[in-house]
Amino acid sequence: MALTETEIIGAVREGRHEGQTEMVGRYAERVFAMIVRQVSDVMDAQELTQDTFLRAFSHIDSYDARKASLSTWLCRIAYRLTLDFQKRRRPQIISMEDTSVLQTDITDEQLEAELSTGREDRIRRLEQMMDELPDDERMLLTLYYFEDLPLAEIAYIMGIEAGPLAKRLYRIRRKLYKKLKEDER
């Protein structure tokens, strides 16, 4: 019989193997999927996934169910470990300033429609452009679009308030839109 989230946490706090096994079995796939979209090497992603659970096991007493679900808490640990890893492995990329993003304003709905077209060439170009973004911007897009997480959970994972995070997401999307339009000219 599968343990409840509360039972998993209790078992891990007590150092019982079945709690750790259940936690890994239930959440490792999600954590790995989030990490592997950010880290190109599968072995590195597997190692970061292991590190996430080791960190969770050793810091389980800091988990607060009132702030986030266990899954979201694990994603927050994975997010921080992944950013640290990327900082060590990759040269710093400076984000473009928002001041020259668009001459005319575009609504969020128009922006979403432009970026969401199903054209294969546009999808490939968007994926390439995402790879060129700074790590934190790429992670935000991954959590929002690929993991389909609500902004409140992403805010918790990234340690940012939801309001500024929504504005940041909009700016990143405008930046991608502008770059797409420049490439299409």
Side-chain angles (χ1 to χ4, degrees), residues 98 140 151 161-173:
D98 190 44
L140 173 56
L151 279 176
E161 293 295 321
L165 189 66
K167 290 176 185 172
R168 189 174 183 188
L169 178 62
Y170 180 73
R171 283 193 311 267
I172 294 167
R173 290 167 42 187

Side-chain angles (χ1 to χ4, degrees), residues 59-184:
H59 292 91
I60 193 69
D61 289 331
S62 69
Y63 171 69
D64 184 352
R66 295 171 298 193
K67 291 183 179 178
S69 68
L70 183 57
S71 174
T72 300
W73 183 70
L74 289 168
C75 286
R76 181 178 180 146
I77 294 169
Y79 166 75
R80 291 171 186 237
L81 288 173
T82 302
L83 281 185
D84 288 345
F85 173 82
Q86 290 170 321
K87 285 177 188 173
R88 289 190 311 268
R89 295 284 175 121
R90 196 166 133 180
Q92 186 71 19
I93 298 173
I94 307 299
S95 179
M96 295 184 325
E97 286 298 318
D98 190 44
T99 55
S100 65
V101 172
L102 286 176
Q103 297 300 325
T104 59
D105 207 10
I106 182 170
T107 68
D108 202 32
E109 292 77 21
Q110 291 169 318
L111 187 58
E112 187 68 33
E114 279 292 320
L115 294 177
S116 299
T117 65
R119 290 187 6 221
E120 285 296 318
D121 59 325
R122 183 171 271 192
I123 291 169
R124 277 193 302 278
R125 182 61 190 131
L126 279 168
E127 288 171 349
Q128 290 171 343
M129 289 171 24
M130 272 185 68
D131 288 342
E132 297 167 4
L133 291 173
D135 298 331
D136 59 332
E137 291 180 4
R138 194 170 67 252
M139 182 65 85
L140 173 56
L141 291 175
T142 296
L143 293 171
Y144 188 76
Y145 287 105
F146 294 103
E147 295 297 320
D148 202 27
L149 294 177
L151 279 176
E153 281 188 48
I154 298 170
Y156 175 80
I157 290 168
M158 296 181 77
I160 302 170
E161 293 295 321
L165 189 66
K167 290 176 185 172
R168 189 174 183 188
L169 178 62
Y170 180 73
R171 283 193 311 267
I172 294 167
R173 290 167 42 187
R174 281 193 339 188
K175 180 171 43 174
L176 291 174
Y177 172 77
K178 178 182 183 248
K179 184 76 172 137
L180 270 177
K181 290 300 181 187
E182 287 173 358
D183 288 355
E184 290 173 354

Side-chain angles (χ1 to χ4, degrees), residues 20-37:
Q20 295 173 344
T21 301
E22 184 73 23
M23 184 188 288
V24 171
R26 191 173 297 179
Y27 302 110
E29 189 175 314
R30 180 176 185 192
V31 168
F32 176 78
M34 184 185 95
I35 293 171
V36 80
R37 287 189 186 102

